[in-house]
Amino acid sequence: MTDDQSSWTGAVTERLRCCICGGSTGGAPDYVLIELTAPFAETRQWLGAHAGHLNGVLAEGFHVEVHLM
């Protein structure tokens, strides 16, 4: 992570668009990066999202919180 917390990209080279709303996540303080993997497969899928949008579609009992480090 750089000094500018809003530019964090995680394991990808740039921020991804929100997988819920399709909007830009550039500068969003609640940006989250999600890695999906499949058992017995050597492939990964990355999804970016605004935490607030992600919380709106998660099943009851699941909640995303963003903590700036």
Side-chain angles (χ1 to χ4, degrees):
M1 187 177 298
T2 66
D3 290 339
D4 177 9
Q5 298 280 340
S6 65
S7 66
W8 180 82
T9 60
V12 296
T13 59
E14 60 186 49
R15 281 183 174 221
L16 302 174
R17 299 185 75 73
C18 179
C19 66
I20 307 299
C21 74
S24 172
T25 59
D30 68 338
Y31 175 70
V32 294
L33 183 65
I34 304 161
E35 178 186 11
L36 301 174
T37 59
F40 311 108
E42 293 185 21
T43 187
R44 301 183 298 181
Q45 171 69 52
W46 296 97
L47 301 173
H50 298 103
H53 295 162
L54 189 56
N55 282 330
V57 298
L58 290 175
E60 187 175 333
F62 289 91
H63 180 76
V64 173
E65 291 183 13
V66 175
H67 300 271
L68 298 179
M69 307 301 265

